[in-house]
């Protein structure tokens, strides 16, 4: 238990950093117990924590991913069919790295290579929902047990969703340019066009992914931490609990609807989730908001519209929406039963 406490609080939660920032601010005469001082404390600590975790996670995941470029992933997926194929697609989505390209171009590459439609959608559903970085970051906020359960439910949703799409749709529901073709016009990203063979090249590639990801998400992190600091120290706790607490049966629906129009990276939602959790919002409600932002944002759906015909896009959206609601209410029930 002491080991898990150390991992949870000192490695993932970085409480040492929290204490250090507090002492530094206090040494400058800032009262960290006041609203303004507390907001500044939260802002500095959360930015440093997320950036440090992000650096480590991107580097490690990118290093591992350098062994599995999209071309190799396509060949792997093409070997599996049925439930096993959906499972492999979902698991592949969980290890999708932080790359300069999104999962949608890779998805197109899968469909053009003739990977079964259900398997590709299992990948597409899993990719924004669950990944190794999300697991670590969620562990730092909610604990490793809830984070692991979240990943498990996300994988199940990806498998079931892929099977539903496989049973009701065919490649004819994709746009022409996304269907399998004899020309096999591959959709590549910068990281798939170069063969990485040496450890030096892998380290250089991983550092490049760190830099690339930082350049894309730092704005979201700043905005997310700023919003989190506001919620943490300025929004009364009873308001959060009334709107997003267990007493409101529509809290999960409300959080999902609020999250859909927002376009942000998961790292921009983590500090908001942390602040809402501290104010008493339900775990499932918070996760519903995060999933709504990352998996069903309007910009990502607009990109997917260029790949899928309307019926297939609507089916995909409804599966994601249903999954968010199920996961959200499931976590709220678990939290209520075990008083987490």
């Amino acid at each position: 238990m002491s080991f898990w406490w150390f991992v949870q609080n000192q490695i993932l939660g970085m409480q040492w950093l929290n204490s250090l920032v507090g002492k530094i601010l206090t040494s400058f005469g800032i009262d960290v117990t006041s609203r303004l001082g507390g907001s500044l404390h939260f802002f500095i600590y959360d930015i440093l924590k997320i950036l440090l975790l992000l650096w480590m996670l991107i580097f490690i995941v990118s290093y591992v991913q350098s062994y599995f470029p999209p071309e190799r992933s396509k060949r792997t997926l093409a070997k599996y069919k049925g439930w096993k194929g959906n499972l492999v697609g979902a698991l592949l989505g969980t290890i999708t790295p932080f790359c300069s390209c999104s999962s949608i171009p890779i998805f197109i590459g899968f469909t053009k290579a003739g990977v079964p439609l259900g398997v590709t959608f299992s990948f597409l559903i899993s990719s924004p929902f669950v990944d190794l970085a999300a697991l670590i970051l969620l562990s730092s906020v909610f604990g490793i047990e809830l984070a692991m359960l979240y990943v498990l439910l996300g994988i199940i949703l990806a498998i079931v969703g892929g099977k539903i799409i496989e049973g009701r749709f065919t490649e004819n529901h994709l746009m022409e340019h996304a269907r399998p073709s004899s020309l096999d016009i591959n959709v590549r990203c910068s990281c798939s066009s170069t063969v990485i063979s040496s450890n030096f090249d892998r380290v250089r590639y991983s550092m490049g992914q760190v830099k690339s990801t930082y350049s894309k998400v730092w704005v979201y992190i700043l905005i997310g931490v700023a919003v989190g600091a506001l919620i943490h120290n300025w929004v009364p706790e009873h308001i959060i609990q009334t709107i997003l607490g267990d007493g409101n049966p529509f809290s999960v629906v409300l959080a999902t609807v609020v999250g859909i129009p927002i376009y942000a990276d998961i790292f921009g939602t983590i500090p908001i989730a942390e602040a809402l959790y501290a104010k008493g919002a339900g775990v499932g409600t918070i996760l519903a908001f995060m999933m709504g932002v990352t998996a069903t944002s309007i910009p990502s759906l607009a990109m997917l519209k260029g790949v899928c015909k309307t019926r297939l896009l609507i089916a995909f959206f409804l599966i994601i929406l249903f999954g968010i609601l199920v996961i959200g209410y499931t976590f709220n029930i678990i939290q209520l039963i075990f008083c987490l």
Side-chain angles (χ1 to χ4, degrees):
M1 290 297 295
S2 59
F3 171 76
W4 281 114
W5 180 92
F6 179 80
V7 171
Q8 175 67 41
N9 292 279
Q10 298 300 327
I11 296 179
L12 299 178
M14 294 190 183
Q15 290 302 314
W16 60 269
L17 180 62
N18 188 28
S19 300
L20 178 62
V21 172
K23 289 178 180 178
I24 292 174
L25 290 176
T26 301
S27 68
F28 281 95
I30 298 173
D31 182 8
V32 296
T33 61
S34 65
R35 280 188 174 182
L36 188 59
S39 295
L40 184 62
H41 184 194
F42 181 95
F43 185 81
I44 296 174
Y45 159 65
D46 246 44
I47 282 182
L48 292 177
K49 180 183 75 171
I50 292 174
L51 290 179
L52 283 171
L53 282 174
L54 189 56
W55 187 92
M56 290 186 292
L57 291 169
I58 296 172
F59 184 88
I60 294 172
V61 174
S62 296
Y63 190 91
V64 172
Q65 188 271 340
S66 66
Y67 290 92
F68 302 95
E71 293 300 319
R72 181 176 179 180
S73 299
K74 285 193 289 187
R75 291 194 298 269
T76 300
L77 281 179
K79 298 177 183 178
Y80 297 94
K81 296 181 180 179
W83 287 99
K84 184 182 293 186
N86 293 101
L87 174 61
V88 173
L91 292 176
L92 184 61
T94 65
I95 61 173
T96 300
F98 301 96
C99 181
S100 56
C101 59
S102 67
S103 58
I104 292 177
I106 298 177
F107 167 81
I108 300 173
F110 290 164
T111 60
K112 289 193 70 65
V115 176
L117 191 63
V119 177
T120 60
F121 268 95
S122 288
F123 164 81
L124 190 63
I125 293 171
S126 174
S127 184
F129 265 120
V130 290
D131 57 45
L132 298 178
L135 173 62
I136 300 300
L137 288 172
L138 288 172
S139 298
S140 71
V141 178
F142 302 119
I144 187 66
E145 296 87 357
L146 286 178
M148 289 294 293
L149 180 58
Y150 169 79
V151 170
L152 178 61
L153 290 176
I155 292 174
I156 293 173
L157 171 63
I159 295 172
V160 174
K163 290 301 293 183
I164 291 174
I165 288 176
E166 181 181 312
R168 293 181 175 274
F169 297 92
T170 66
E171 282 77 10
N172 291 330
H173 291 91
L174 295 171
M175 296 298 185
E176 185 68 34
H177 61 270
R179 298 176 192 174
S181 67
S182 58
L183 295 177
D184 190 26
I185 304 172
N186 295 314
V187 178
R188 299 173 181 266
C189 65
S190 59
C191 59
S192 66
S193 59
T194 303
V195 176
I196 304 175
S197 56
S198 68
N199 285 330
F200 176 78
D201 287 338
R202 296 188 194 283
V203 170
R204 187 171 61 177
Y205 163 74
S206 301
M207 289 302 298
Q209 292 302 298
V210 171
K211 182 179 178 180
S212 174
T213 304
Y214 269 17
S215 68
K216 294 180 182 299
V217 306
W218 69 270
V219 173
Y220 300 129
I221 293 175
L222 286 178
I223 294 174
V225 174
V227 173
L230 249 139
I231 295 172
H232 193 272
N233 292 281
W234 296 89
V235 179
E237 187 172 322
H238 71 274
I239 293 179
I240 298 294
Q241 290 181 349
T242 300
I243 300 175
L244 299 178
D246 296 330
N248 184 359
F250 301 104
S251 62
V252 173
V253 177
L254 180 62
T256 305
V257 171
V258 170
I260 288 175
I262 301 173
Y263 179 62
D265 193 272
I266 189 173
F267 305 110
T269 64
I270 287 289
I272 300 175
E274 189 174 6
L276 290 173
Y277 187 55
K279 290 290 185 178
V283 173
T285 304
I286 296 170
L287 291 178
F289 168 76
M290 296 172 64
M291 289 184 289
V293 171
T294 57
T296 60
S297 66
I298 292 176
S300 64
L301 291 176
M303 289 179 62
L304 200 56
K305 181 64 176 71
V307 182
C308 304
K309 292 185 177 180
T310 302
R311 280 187 58 200
L312 179 55
L313 181 64
I314 292 174
F316 170 76
F317 175 77
L318 291 178
I319 289 171
I320 293 291
L321 185 61
F322 178 77
I324 290 175
L325 296 179
V326 168
I327 292 176
Y329 279 111
T330 298
F331 270 88
N332 276 352
I333 292 172
I334 291 174
Q335 183 181 19
L336 191 61
I337 292 175
F338 294 98
C339 300
L340 296 174

